[in-house]
Structure formats: C-alpha cells, structure tokens
Amino acid sequence: MNYDFVREEILQGTDIVDLIGSHISLKKSGDSYLGICPFHNEKSPSFTVSGGKQIYKCFGCGEAGNAYSFIMKYENISFKEAMEKLAERINYTIPVFKNKHEKLYELNTASAKFFYSNFVADEKVKKYLYNRLDEKTAKKFGLGYSKTSWDSLYKYLISKGYAENDIIKAGLVIKRDNQIYDRFRGRLMFPIFNPAGKIIGFGGRVIDTGEPKYLNSPDSPLYNKSLSLYGINFIKNITEVILVEGYMDVLALHSFGYTNAIAVLGTAFTNEHAHLLKTKRISSVTIIFDSDDAGQKAIERAIKPLFEKGIEIRILTFKNAKDPDEFLKNFGKELFEKELEFAKNYMEYCIDTLSKKYNIEAVSEKRDFLNELASKLKIVKDDIELEVYVGFIAEKFGISKEAFLSKTKEVAFSNFSKKPVLQNKNMKALEEAKYCLLNLAFHNIGFREVLQKHLSMEEFPELYEVQEDAADIIEFNKIAANDYIKIIKETYIKDKLEENLPDEEVNKLLSLRKMLKKQYIEHITG
C-alpha cells in the first residue's frame, strides 16, 4: 500500500453529492445537482455537482474539481488536512508512512527535549528569558538552552543510541580533526518547525556575549533556511500573515495574540518562501522589518516574490521603534493595532520612500521621482490594480494619467539587452521546472524517491526538503518530467562550468552535458 493508493481509496469512498450537500443546498436537476456557488456571489444557481462523475463545476466562476479540491477551497485547508477530513468522514484509517529521514526528525525531537530540560533547570537562563517573554509563549515554541560545555548534547544523543553519522548529518554537532563538539553552546535555543509541525533545525541566541549573536542549523536533508519560515507550523486556516525578521519578533507578536506572525531565518525572503505561503492559501502579507537601512532593503527584496504569487502586500515601518518586539514592549498592543491599521499598500510605500529621496518641488527632481515611481510599478501585473495606482498618482501629483501609464509600461520593457532577456527566459524555465516537479513530489512519495535517484541534492536541494502538505496538484506526464529534469541538470552543469574548476572536472561536466542531450528517463512516474 502506498500514498497514492490511500489517496484514491479515500476519494472513491467519498460521495461528493453528500459532501457538498452538507455545506450548501443542492437540488436535483436531471442526472446532476444544482446549487448556489459558494465561491462567488450569484443569484441564479450555476454550481453543478455530478454524482456519476464525482466532480463539481461552476459555470459562473469556473471553479471545478473533486472532493479534495472542494473541501480545500471551501475550508481553506491544505491537501493533507483535506485528506484527513475526508478519511474521518468515511471512517477510514490512514496508515503511517515511514519517512526516509525519520531518524533525523527523531534526533531533532530528542535534542529539543534535552535543550528544554537544560532550560528548566537553569534559573539564570529562565530569568533572562522571562524578563523578555511570558512562560506560556516560551512553552508553545519549545524554547530551550544549550549548555556551555563542548559536547553535552553529543554525549546525551550517543547515550540514547543514536548513530554519530546521523547526529552529524542533522547538523547538531561538528566534526573537525577527529574531534566532535556541539554546534550550539551557551545559547537560548529556538526549535524550527516545518509546516507539518516537525522539528527540522534550530536557531541559537547568545545569552551573555559572543559572536555571532544568532546561529542557525546548517542546511541538511531536513532544513534549508531559504525554504523555511519560523512559525509557519502555527499558520492554519487563515489567509493573512505578518512577516517579520527574527525569532523574538515572532515570539513577541504571538505573546500579544498575533498568532499569524512568521519570520525569515537569517536570509532574504525568496521565491520559495512566497510559494510556501501560496500553498498555505495566504492572500495577504503585512511586512514589518527593522526600520534600519538593512531592514528597508530586505523589504524591497521581499516585495517582488510576493507580487509574483499574487499575494497582497502591506508594509509597516516604525518611526519610534526598531522592530515589533521593541514597539510592543514600549507602547503596547493598543498602539500597535493602530499602527497596523495604517500599514501602507505597495504604491503608498513607494511614494513615501521616494519622497524622502527627492525634492518634488523642483521640476527636474519631480521628473526623476515620477520616473523612478513608474519603474517601481512595473511589477504590478494586474491591469485593474495598475489603473487604480496610476489614477491615484496622476491626481496626487498633477500629471496626465495617460502619460504616467505610458511611462510605467515603457520602463517595464526598457533597459534590457538581448542577453539578459535570454537569461531571464532560462531562469523562468528553471523555476517552472522546479515548481512543477516539487508540486507533484508533494503528493507522491514514490515519484519523489524516483526523482531523487536522477537529481542529486546539490543539483536540486529543494527536492530534499519536501513536506507532504501542499495545497495544489499539477498533472504531469513522463515527457514533461523528463524535460524538467533536463532543464535542472543543464542549468546546474552550466553554473558549475562558470566556476574555476580543474580541467578534469570540466571535462567530466562536458561529457555529462553531451550525454544528457540523448538521455530519456524511463519509468519516471515510479
């Protein structure tokens, strides 16, 4: 029995008419059933449910699918959660599938318990933390403490029967010159969870003095900071999140009741982060990064990936506090709530930021201001949204709406030579290949394992971080999968050839590239 078999059994055991009929009113209409669509406003029923085909279709808004897609859309939940709900509905017991990295998960869990026991036993550390955070939130996030000794965690894990190689692979210890020592020592410990609630790594903050102030687990088969978000495990059945920069900001927000707060983990916000939020059905993100220059640059980098996923953006910066943690402690929840109300949309943020750069009372500077503002709006792909922005800017700054709209569209296609355009196409092909393969890997353990035979962790690290709770399903065939695998491999080889490698390594890569053109991977569906 495999995951696909279980998924299909649950689907076949679910009566879609009974399922949808328990959520909306349906009336018999010929061989099908008719009702008011729950996914858009309508007066006349155009939502059709076919008991024979076990599918639904709305002829008003176009929504269509099976029992899984209905419950995911209606209740705003992930595929895994939908699967569990439907299984419970038909009294079906889902078997537990053993993950190939289960031992590493167990190691992380054992380490988190060890860190927590250290924390509970250390009055100095508890005093340090509880001066900044309430006990309830600390327990909720499983905070702990790593002792200052060189190998206390390593000795503990060995005593519990864990293998040295697995402990090293999990990034919990470092081996150098045949000496092994704990990676985290004398730090407040933050377990990092994946969306399914499993511990994939740790962050550690110094308590006294020392550098670096924050230290994260290295990339491992479980953890990649560019694919992970702190607090993502608490994001359930909501559509709006607050995105911040650090652990303490998330903890402070949660302690004040903002349980939709998440943070990046010492890295810029990436396309993969945006995709993760999209799979969680997030439609709106309020960005609250540090008010310093680095924080403002981080905001700029986060905007584009979110926009490209169609996620609404609001931006909040504090004038009298560095970050949410500091603001909440100094001014409290009531004032923070008022600040949230005045968070700026993307256009307002651009105007506010550029107004500080230019003196718009001077004609030449106003021209430069409007030109740069037009360039900022080139990422807005929705014509109606762009029309609204352009109309507002034209009225506010006393210029022709047509002229500014023309300038906005002009800069969207300017300053690109032929070479960068080709590079952009290549990058788009690579991102599409990774996106499509990852989506299928979310739902098919067998397919994932076959892919991992053809694509190494170095070539495609994201494939080794896949969790089984994505929301969307993409149909694939063997030819498409082959094309996607080749795109990833070709890009990897091209990037490696640009490095300063020994001749032997270069010849090996050239040979691989030549062989790849003739390669066709059989049985790709596993």
Side-chain angles (χ1 to χ4, degrees):
M1 183 181 293
N2 59 33
Y3 189 82
D4 291 334
F5 176 82
V6 170
R7 185 178 63 184
E8 191 60 31
E9 277 214 324
I10 294 171
L11 188 62
Q12 290 179 6
T14 301
D15 183 338
I16 197 169
V17 175
D18 181 58
L19 172 70
I20 296 179
S22 67
H23 291 83
I24 66 172
S25 177
L26 293 175
K27 289 185 178 180
K28 182 77 171 170
S29 177
D31 294 333
S32 301
Y33 292 80
L34 200 61
I36 297 292
C37 179
F39 304 128
H40 81 290
N41 294 324
E42 63 177 10
K43 294 181 180 179
S44 300
S46 61
F47 188 85
T48 303
V49 183
S50 170
K53 296 180 180 178
Q54 290 293 297
I55 59 173
Y56 67 88
K57 168 73 176 180
C58 177
F59 292 93
C61 67
E63 282 290 338
N66 59 17
Y68 285 128
S69 51
F70 176 82
I71 204 72
M72 286 165 62
K73 177 78 174 177
Y74 191 87
E75 298 193 17
N76 189 37
I77 58 177
S78 69
F79 178 83
K80 183 179 180 182
E81 290 167 325
M83 190 173 174
E84 290 169 349
K85 275 185 172 288
L86 295 184
E88 182 180 1
R89 187 182 174 86
I90 63 173
N91 295 319
Y92 184 97
T93 301
I94 300 176
V96 177
F97 293 98
K98 189 75 172 178
N99 189 295
K100 65 185 288 188
H101 298 309
E102 198 62 42
K103 186 61 69 177
L104 299 185
Y105 285 122
E106 290 176 11
L107 264 169
N108 283 337
T109 301
S111 299
K113 290 179 179 178
F114 179 75
F115 293 141
Y116 180 75
S117 66
N118 294 342
F119 170 72
V120 171
D122 196 309
E123 293 301 322
K124 178 185 174 183
V125 177
K126 283 197 293 185
K127 182 179 179 181
Y128 167 84
L129 180 62
Y130 293 153
N131 279 337
R132 305 190 61 183
L133 188 70
D134 62 281
E135 185 176 351
K136 182 180 176 181
T137 304
K139 286 184 176 179
K140 175 183 175 180
F141 282 82
L143 302 192
Y145 174 64
S146 56
K147 294 180 179 180
T148 55
S149 64
W150 283 91
D151 57 1
S152 60
L153 174 64
Y154 173 69
K155 286 179 177 177
Y156 171 79
L157 294 174
I158 289 294
S159 74
K160 293 294 180 180
Y162 292 105
E164 180 181 294
N165 285 342
D166 287 335
I167 301 173
I168 295 171
K169 189 186 295 184
L172 296 165
V173 300
I174 297 171
K175 186 173 185 178
R176 188 172 296 159
D177 298 328
N178 293 322
Q179 295 292 316
I180 294 180
Y181 54 93
D182 294 348
R183 180 177 297 276
F184 300 100
R185 302 183 305 281
R187 291 176 179 268
L188 186 64
M189 297 301 296
F190 305 83
I192 300 168
F193 296 85
N194 66 18
K198 292 185 176 183
I199 300 174
I200 55 176
F202 294 90
R205 186 192 192 281
V206 292
I207 290 179
D208 295 317
T209 58
E211 291 295 336
K213 182 178 179 181
Y214 284 97
L215 178 66
N216 284 338
S217 291
D219 285 355
S220 73
L222 302 183
Y223 174 69
N224 184 317
K225 61 179 177 290
S226 296
L227 300 171
S228 308
L229 291 167
Y230 187 63
I232 193 68
N233 51 305
F234 295 112
I235 304 303
K236 307 285 185 184
N237 302 329
I238 59 176
T239 58
E240 300 180 7
V241 297
I242 298 174
L243 178 66
V244 294
E245 282 195 271
Y247 301 107
M248 295 308 300
D249 287 332
V250 171
L251 295 169
L253 284 163
H254 274 254
S255 69
F256 277 85
Y258 298 98
T259 56
N260 61 336
I262 55 176
V264 289
L265 292 156
T267 184
F269 188 86
T270 65
N271 291 328
E272 289 77 14
H273 288 142
H275 175 64
L276 175 58
L277 293 182
K278 196 66 176 177
T279 65
K280 300 291 286 183
R281 299 231 187 277
I282 299 302
S283 59
S284 175
V285 173
T286 300
I287 305 173
I288 315 179
F289 284 179
D290 290 358
S291 57
D292 57 16
D293 288 343
Q296 297 310 297
K297 289 177 181 177
I299 290 174
E300 295 285 346
R301 288 193 292 268
I303 287 170
K304 190 169 183 288
L306 289 167
F307 245 111
E308 289 179 346
K309 291 296 180 184
I311 298 174
E312 180 186 353
I313 301 168
R314 297 170 74 237
I315 301 158
L316 175 59
T317 52
F318 300 119
K319 295 178 181 178
N320 46 5
K322 184 172 74 89
D323 52 37
D325 182 26
E326 184 178 297
F327 187 95
L328 285 165
K329 284 176 174 54
N330 292 342
F331 304 105
K333 183 175 181 178
E334 187 176 343
L335 284 179
F336 182 82
E337 195 67 32
K338 289 181 179 179
E339 290 281 340
L340 272 181
E341 290 177 14
F342 291 101
K344 297 177 174 65
N345 63 32
Y346 176 62
M347 180 200 63
E348 293 169 332
Y349 172 76
C350 290
I351 291 174
D352 184 61
T353 304
L354 294 176
S355 295
K356 297 171 184 175
K357 181 178 177 181
Y358 295 98
N359 174 18
I360 58 175
E361 298 302 319
V363 174
S364 61
E365 290 207 37
K366 182 176 182 179
R367 179 199 62 209
D368 293 340
F369 163 80
L370 291 169
N371 283 340
E372 188 166 350
L373 185 56
S375 72
K376 294 286 187 183
L377 295 184
K378 68 185 179 184
I379 67 172
V380 180
K381 305 302 181 186
D382 184 270
D383 288 340
I384 295 176
E385 184 179 9
L386 182 61
E387 189 84 10
V388 171
Y389 284 175
V390 168
F392 178 87
I393 291 167
E395 182 176 349
K396 182 176 179 66
F397 296 102
I399 59 171
S400 160
K401 179 179 176 180
E402 290 72 23
F404 188 72
L405 180 60
S406 174
K407 187 65 179 179
T408 302
K409 291 183 176 180
E410 175 190 326
V411 297
F413 298 100
S414 66
N415 301 323
F416 287 98
S417 66
K418 290 185 177 180
K419 186 175 181 181
V421 169
L422 291 173
Q423 288 176 340
N424 186 51
K425 287 181 178 178
N426 289 337
M427 183 56 66
K428 184 176 180 181
L430 176 64
E431 289 179 355
E432 180 186 349
K434 287 188 173 184
Y435 173 81
C436 292
L437 291 180
L438 278 173
N439 268 277
L440 187 58
F442 268 117
H443 300 290
N444 188 321
I445 292 174
F447 183 84
R448 187 185 323 149
E449 290 176 349
V450 171
L451 282 179
Q452 288 174 350
K453 292 177 182 176
H454 296 289
L455 291 164
S456 68
M457 187 173 183
E458 191 176 359
E459 291 174 316
F460 194 5
E462 299 91 335
L463 182 63
Y464 292 78
E465 313 298 329
V466 170
Q467 306 302 326
E468 293 136 30
D469 68 341
D472 47 354
I473 304 171
I474 294 179
E475 296 296 329
F476 289 88
N477 57 48
K478 186 156 57 178
I479 296 174
N482 269 277
D483 289 342
Y484 290 143
I485 289 173
K486 287 183 178 180
I487 287 170
I488 294 170
K489 283 186 170 291
E490 285 170 354
T491 305
Y492 169 76
I493 292 170
K494 177 179 176 295
D495 290 344
K496 292 296 289 183
L497 286 172
E498 291 177 359
E499 298 177 10
N500 186 20
L501 299 172
D503 290 344
E504 182 181 349
E505 188 68 21
V506 170
N507 291 333
K508 184 179 178 181
L509 288 168
L510 291 173
S511 177
L512 284 173
R513 186 165 65 179
K514 187 176 181 181
M515 291 172 59
L516 188 61
K517 292 179 180 179
K518 301 176 181 179
Q519 182 178 358
Y520 185 80
I521 302 165
E522 294 291 344
H523 310 299
I524 193 62
T525 57

